[in-house]
Every structure is written in structure tokens, then in C-alpha cells.
Amino acid sequence: MSVPAQLFGPSSGSACLNRRILMSDRYKCVLLFGAPGTGKGTQGKLLGEKDGYIHLATGDIFRSLDKETELGKKFLHYSSRGELVPDDLTIELWRDHVGSLISAGKYDPARDLLLLDGMPRSVPQAERLSDLIEPLAIVHLVVPDINDMVKRMKLRAEKEGRHDDADENVIRNRFDVYTNETAPVLGCYGKELVIDIDAIGTIDEVFDRCQSKVTPIHEKSFG
Ligand code: AMP
């Protein structure tokens, strides 16, 4: 797959920069990025416990759907194969969810930093969200050995009863989908936004590494 044109960043061209100025009211966010099993959800939940941070995991939004609804059935159809839900459905659900959080007073874009977990997960999603979100950084959790991630995912499947992570073939497909559809998202943003974090270690150790990068971003943007 060819590397997409950058959506943001110094080398993204004046048209994008002008757009950025015009779109200063986009939701400020940090993207939690990484292959399945690198711990985005765990770290996102911990970071999201602090005042002024909202952890938003697209997988959790999907899992909270009523399985009997059309959308709930579609989610099961795709997730049980380790595939992504089509972009249109995903973006619509995500926008509605964020809108409902704002209406309910649970998310205030003027004071809360969104920690986006599992969004955007494809280049078309990144493009579709470009006038809605302003990524301030991409926290990229890195685990070099795929077998470590497979082990983590199997443990999680047992602990959390997650059907999509119980079958090794499905797990392997999730990695293929990550490589082919999600990893190219990194190329949509300027390299200077990407922060690689070693995701090997205890939950606390990795949390300290993430927190030390994310806290200054929050302070700079929200004071
Ligand atoms: P996760 O909990 O992030 O591993 O997501 C579980 C499943 O939800 C994925 O395997 C996909 O089927 C679906 N999903 C989560 N986020 C997205 C997304 N941004 N786009 C499409 N499908 C998604």
C-alpha cells in the first residue's frame, strides 16, 4: 500500500496548514496506536482516570451495542473474523457517541484531552476525521515480538471473555489487518507527532512511560 499524503505536520503543505488554522476547534486528542495486544486499552484506561482526560475506545463502543440490533450483528460479523467494521458505519457510530458524551456533559472539548484508542484505524478513517480531530501526538506502543502479543491476547480473551481474541487464526488475521490497513495511518501524520514507547514491562512501568509523554501535552494545550 502506498504511503498516504500527510494530513498534518510541517511537510503537509500550505493547504493543510490553512485548513488547520481554520479548524482550530477540532477535538484535541492523543492517538493511542499499536498492534493488537500492545496494551493500548490498559494504558488508555489508566490515563483516562485522571481529571481532564477522556479515554475513548472504539472497540468498547462497539462491544456496548445491543447484539440484537442491525449494527450489533454487523459488529459481531466483522469482529469474529478479526476484520474491521466498514468505515462508514464506524465513523457514524463514533461521531454519534462523541456527540452524546458532549450532550451528557461527560466530555468537554474545551478542557478534556481525548485519548483515542482504536481510531482512526484505516487511512480513509483518518481522512474522514481530519476536520473533527486534532491529534497532538501519536503514542505508538511497540512490542517487537509478535508471539508476546499473541500470548497477551489469549490471556485477555480468557479473562474478559472476548470471542474475537480466543481463536489463534482470528488473532493472526487481526495482525494482518493491522499491518495492511492500520499501520499506514501513521503516515497520515507528521513524524514529529509520533512517540514510540517500549510496551514491554509491567503495566506500571509502561504507564510511567506513557504518562511522562502525555502529561506535558495536556499541560501545554489546556494549562
Ligand atoms: P478492539 O477492542 O480495539 O481490539 O476492537 C475490537 C473490534 O472492533 C475490531 O476487531 C474491529 O472489528 C472493531 N473495531 C474497533 N475499532 C474499529 C475501527 N476504528 N474501525 C473499524 N472497526 C473497528
Side-chain angles (χ1 to χ4, degrees), residues 61-62 65 71 88-97:
I61 304 174
F62 275 124
L65 292 171
L71 195 51
D88 282 353
L89 292 177
T90 304
I91 296 281
E92 196 183 327
L93 178 75
W94 188 89
R95 288 177 85 120
D96 287 352
H97 185 80

Side-chain angles (χ1 to χ4, degrees), residues 1-8 33 84 87 91 119-130 133 177-189:
M1 183 178 229
S2 63
V3 177
Q6 282 182 18
L7 299 175
F8 304 105
F33 208 83
L84 295 183
D87 294 329
I91 296 281
M119 188 63 130
R121 217 152 160 159
S122 68
V123 170
Q125 288 181 14
E127 288 166 352
R128 297 269 295 275
L129 287 181
S130 65
I133 63 170
V177 168
Y178 175 77
T179 304
N180 297 327
E181 297 186 50
T182 305
V185 168
L186 276 180
C188 293
Y189 304 102

Side-chain angles (χ1 to χ4, degrees), residues 18-222:
N18 289 340
R19 254 178 114 203
R20 177 158 58 180
I21 291 161
L22 290 175
M23 299 189 305
S24 54
D25 52 354
R26 290 172 298 156
Y27 308 138
K28 289 189 167 55
C29 61
V30 166
L31 308 186
L32 301 173
F33 208 83
T38 47
K40 300 182 296 291
T42 304
Q43 296 303 327
K45 272 190 197 107
L46 289 172
L47 290 164
E49 281 172 6
K50 280 172 58 181
D51 196 34
Y53 295 81
I54 306 286
H55 173 228
L56 202 55
T58 312
D60 288 346
I61 304 174
F62 275 124
R63 277 184 289 277
S64 71
L65 292 171
D66 180 345
K67 305 288 175 294
E68 297 308 315
T69 61
E70 210 43 49
L71 195 51
K73 285 181 190 158
K74 282 204 169 124
F75 165 63
L76 278 184
H77 170 85
Y78 291 103
S79 63
S80 62
R81 292 164 172 74
E83 291 168 9
L84 295 183
V85 178
D87 294 329
D88 282 353
L89 292 177
T90 304
I91 296 281
E92 196 183 327
L93 178 75
W94 188 89
R95 288 177 85 120
D96 287 352
H97 185 80
V98 174
S100 66
L101 289 180
I102 294 174
S103 308
K106 292 181 180 165
Y107 164 47
D108 177 357
R111 65 174 292 273
D112 298 322
L113 179 65
L114 275 185
L115 303 164
L116 289 190
D117 169 358
M119 188 63 130
R121 217 152 160 159
S122 68
V123 170
Q125 288 181 14
E127 288 166 352
R128 297 269 295 275
L129 287 181
S130 65
D131 55 358
L132 262 187
I133 63 170
E134 181 185 357
L136 304 176
I138 295 137
V139 167
H140 180 207
L141 294 171
V142 182
V143 174
D145 185 353
I146 188 174
N147 292 318
D148 285 339
M149 291 186 279
V150 173
K151 261 190 241 152
R152 283 190 192 193
M153 289 172 78
K154 282 187 163 170
L155 275 177
R156 179 174 74 181
E158 281 164 24
K159 268 202 335 214
E160 299 178 15
R162 282 182 51 167
H163 65 90
D164 51 340
D165 289 344
D167 177 332
E168 188 148 341
N169 288 330
V170 175
I171 295 178
R172 300 275 169 195
N173 193 36
R174 276 162 63 82
F175 282 111
D176 287 346
V177 168
Y178 175 77
T179 304
N180 297 327
E181 297 186 50
T182 305
V185 168
L186 276 180
C188 293
Y189 304 102
K191 279 196 178 68
E192 73 289 349
L193 292 187
V194 180
I195 303 168
D196 285 338
I197 293 197
D198 176 4
I200 298 285
T202 65
I203 290 176
D204 287 349
E205 283 165 352
V206 180
F207 176 66
D208 285 345
R209 291 172 206 149
C210 292
Q211 186 171 232
S212 70
K213 302 292 180 189
V214 172
T215 304
I217 294 168
H218 187 280
E219 277 167 8
K220 195 171 164 206
S221 298
F222 297 98

